[in-house]
């Protein structure tokens, strides 16, 4: 297994032995202690092109009628970007905090989820998203970067002392993309709208 992420309480591991998928385990669990014991030189792998999003299948599936789906037109969701599990998960990754996961709809399409609404039982397969984010810190002041927005558009950067108030970002292809405003990326100390796709 490869360690690909962590927080204060959990480790995220990527299964390498014939099974595809990422999973989380508490640091103080049997698995967690075993991983830490074996990881003499642990490295957190950073995924350059896929926005560091990982998906975990929800056991028992979901009821699609109880799930809130993202509006396709608003978020540039097309047939090509949701034609299978892989493309749907990839599109979900680049929508940042707005996308919580992917559901295989009864129509045969793949839908992106804005809210599971606590729904954890039903006939449709579903994957919930976990995404690694980073926070920017000003070394001179020790403060974190926060985004001030106007009408849903990020306008300015300010400094805050609490990390809980800081703005999360994810990176892809060398871009620093706002997790909360994923149509914008940071260029210097200003925000620019991503005109083409994130990859372009």
């Amino acid at each position: 297994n490869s360690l690909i992420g962590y927080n204060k309480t959990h480790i995220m591991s990527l299964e390498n032995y014939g099974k595809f998928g990422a999973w989380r385990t508490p640091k103080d669990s049997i698995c967690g202690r075993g991983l830490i014991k074996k990881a003499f030189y642990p490295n957190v792998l950073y995924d350059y092109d896929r926005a560091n999003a990982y998906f975990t299948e929800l056991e028992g599936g979901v009821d699609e009628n109880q799930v809130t789906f993202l509006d396709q037109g608003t978020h540039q969701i097309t047939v090509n970007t949701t034609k299978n599990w892989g493309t749907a998960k990839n599109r979900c990754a680049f929508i940042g905090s707005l996308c919580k996961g992917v559901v295989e709809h009864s129509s045969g399409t793949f839908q992106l989820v804005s809210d599971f609404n606590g729904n954890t039982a039903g006939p449709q397969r579903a994957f919930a998203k976990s995404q690694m984010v980073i926070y920017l810190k000003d070394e001179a002041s020790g403060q974190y970067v926060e985004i001030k927005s106007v009408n849903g558009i990020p306008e300015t950067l300010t400094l805050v002392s609490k990390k809980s108030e800081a703005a999360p970002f994810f990176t892809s292809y060398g871009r620093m993309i706002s997790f909360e405003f994923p149509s914008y990326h940071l260029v210097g100390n200003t925000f620019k709208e991503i005109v083409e796709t994130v990859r372009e």
Side-chain angles (χ1 to χ4, degrees):
N1 296 324
S2 299
L3 301 186
I4 57 174
Y6 64 92
N7 60 23
K8 289 182 179 179
T9 59
H10 286 70
I11 295 170
M12 182 177 282
S13 178
L14 182 66
E15 176 68 70
N16 291 333
Y17 299 107
K19 212 171 162 191
F20 179 75
W23 51 278
R24 287 178 293 178
T25 186
K27 288 182 179 179
D28 60 356
S29 68
I30 293 173
C31 289
R33 289 194 299 270
L35 286 168
I36 292 171
K37 186 176 180 181
K38 291 290 184 181
F40 298 107
Y41 301 98
N43 289 319
V44 176
L45 305 181
Y46 212 73
D47 192 340
Y48 185 64
D49 65 337
R50 293 193 60 236
N52 293 283
Y54 305 92
F55 294 83
T56 305
E57 186 164 8
L58 298 177
E59 293 184 17
V62 298
D63 180 348
E64 64 187 39
N65 296 312
Q66 302 299 319
V67 174
T68 304
F69 296 108
L70 285 166
D71 179 72
Q72 295 186 356
T74 304
H75 303 290
Q76 300 174 348
I77 301 168
T78 67
V79 173
N80 285 336
T81 59
T82 55
K83 62 186 176 183
N84 55 43
W85 282 117
T87 57
K89 289 177 181 179
N90 193 56
R91 186 71 196 112
C92 182
F94 287 105
I95 302 178
S97 66
L98 305 178
C99 186
K100 305 300 189 296
V102 181
V103 169
E104 184 177 24
H105 198 269
S106 59
S107 65
T109 63
F110 296 87
Q111 301 287 327
L112 305 188
V113 177
S114 67
D115 196 337
F116 282 106
N117 298 315
N119 185 344
T120 56
Q124 302 310 128
R125 286 186 72 194
F127 286 78
K129 181 180 77 171
S130 299
Q131 192 159 3
M132 290 174 62
V133 296
I134 59 176
Y135 298 91
L136 305 180
K137 188 175 184 180
D138 178 60
E139 293 184 0
S141 66
Q143 294 184 306
Y144 295 91
V145 172
E146 179 193 28
I147 297 172
K148 292 293 185 184
S149 64
V150 177
N151 298 323
I153 299 173
E155 292 285 341
T156 57
L157 298 174
T158 60
L159 295 176
V160 293
S161 57
K162 295 180 180 178
K163 187 177 179 181
S164 60
E165 298 175 357
F169 292 85
F170 66 92
T171 65
S172 182
Y173 288 100
R175 294 187 180 189
M176 192 84 65
I177 303 166
S178 169
F179 186 62
E180 296 169 334
F181 306 97
S183 296
Y184 296 85
H185 67 116
L186 193 61
V187 179
N189 60 357
T190 61
F191 283 97
K192 300 289 185 183
E193 188 170 7
I194 299 171
V195 178
E196 302 293 342
T197 67
V198 172
R199 290 187 178 191
E200 295 168 328

